[in-house]
Amino acid sequence: MNSKRFGLLMVYSLIIISLIFLPKMFTLSLGKDILLKTEPVDPRDVFRGDYVNLNYEISTIDLDKTPFDHEFMMGESIYAKLSEKEKYWTIDWVSHRKPDVSDEDVCMKGVVTSSYDDTLNVRWGIESYFVPEGDGIPIQMQMENTSVIVSVGPDCSAVLKQLLIDDEPVTFE
């Protein structure tokens, strides 16, 4: 009887862990890779370890320059249609609903963190990049020319795939 309970507990544990990681793996496997320009932010978290905190040019949206369906409020979901402009991907328009995209476009889903006048601040869920202990501050000091490769899935979810400094992948020994 105890071995059956233990077996069921292990199966339930594996199901829960799978439910946490499968959506990210799905996005990494089937998603489209895009390049986003970052902006530096000071990192540090005692509980989560070393990481690089990232902000993106697409995290601040000027609604005077970006088409949208109607006003956004703090805490609302936002969908952005992005396309590649020269080197980086930028927002073409934003909406409250998931847009249809072509092979040349992607859709990213985020959350409005603030709305002031005609400016939105958005969190995309790709703002932290975890690094080995001791590597966070040296990387953060080189953030002037940093970008990331992000995999964007068909459901508009985004997963940070690779950090680049001066267009070179950041590697750890």
Side-chain angles (χ1 to χ4, degrees), residues 36-75:
L36 297 176
K37 179 72 176 148
T38 62
E39 298 174 341
V41 178
D42 190 26
R44 207 71 192 137
D45 189 320
V46 176
F47 298 107
R48 297 191 299 178
D50 283 2
Y51 71 99
V52 177
N53 198 12
L54 302 168
N55 192 34
Y56 299 91
E57 288 182 351
I58 64 167
S59 295
T60 303
I61 301 170
D62 183 350
L63 296 178
D64 286 333
K65 299 177 182 175
T66 308
F68 62 100
D69 55 0
H70 58 86
E71 296 295 321
F72 288 90
M73 296 180 61
M74 190 170 108

Side-chain angles (χ1 to χ4, degrees), residues 16-166:
I16 290 172
I17 290 171
S18 296
L19 290 174
I20 292 170
F21 292 108
L22 280 178
K24 300 279 186 198
M25 294 301 294
F26 176 76
T27 299
L28 285 170
S29 298
L30 301 176
K32 183 173 187 173
D33 291 350
I34 66 172
L35 183 66
L36 297 176
K37 179 72 176 148
T38 62
E39 298 174 341
V41 178
D42 190 26
R44 207 71 192 137
D45 189 320
V46 176
F47 298 107
R48 297 191 299 178
D50 283 2
Y51 71 99
V52 177
N53 198 12
L54 302 168
N55 192 34
Y56 299 91
E57 288 182 351
I58 64 167
S59 295
T60 303
I61 301 170
D62 183 350
L63 296 178
D64 286 333
K65 299 177 182 175
T66 308
F68 62 100
D69 55 0
H70 58 86
E71 296 295 321
F72 288 90
M73 296 180 61
M74 190 170 108
E76 282 187 310
S77 292
I78 184 170
Y79 291 90
K81 185 174 180 180
L82 292 87
S83 63
E84 189 173 15
K85 311 280 189 309
E86 295 181 28
K87 183 176 180 179
Y88 299 106
W89 289 67
T90 59
I91 295 175
D92 294 328
W93 58 270
V94 294
S95 174
H96 288 82
R97 293 192 192 122
K98 179 181 171 188
D100 293 327
V101 293
S102 67
D103 289 340
E104 293 82 33
D105 303 322
V106 297
C107 167
M108 280 180 56
K109 182 180 180 183
V111 175
V112 176
T113 57
S114 69
S115 175
Y116 180 74
D117 287 335
D118 287 329
T119 302
L120 300 177
N121 289 314
V122 178
R123 186 185 61 218
W124 301 104
I126 51 173
E127 285 75 18
S128 297
Y129 184 76
F130 289 90
V131 297
E133 186 175 340
D135 287 335
I137 292 175
I139 290 172
Q140 197 69 37
M141 296 179 85
Q142 301 176 35
M143 292 296 284
E144 293 84 31
N145 193 17
T146 305
S147 54
V148 294
I149 297 173
V150 174
S151 185
V152 183
D155 61 346
C156 301
S157 64
V159 177
L160 202 154
K161 195 171 188 177
Q162 179 70 56
L163 178 67
L164 307 170
I165 296 178
D166 295 324

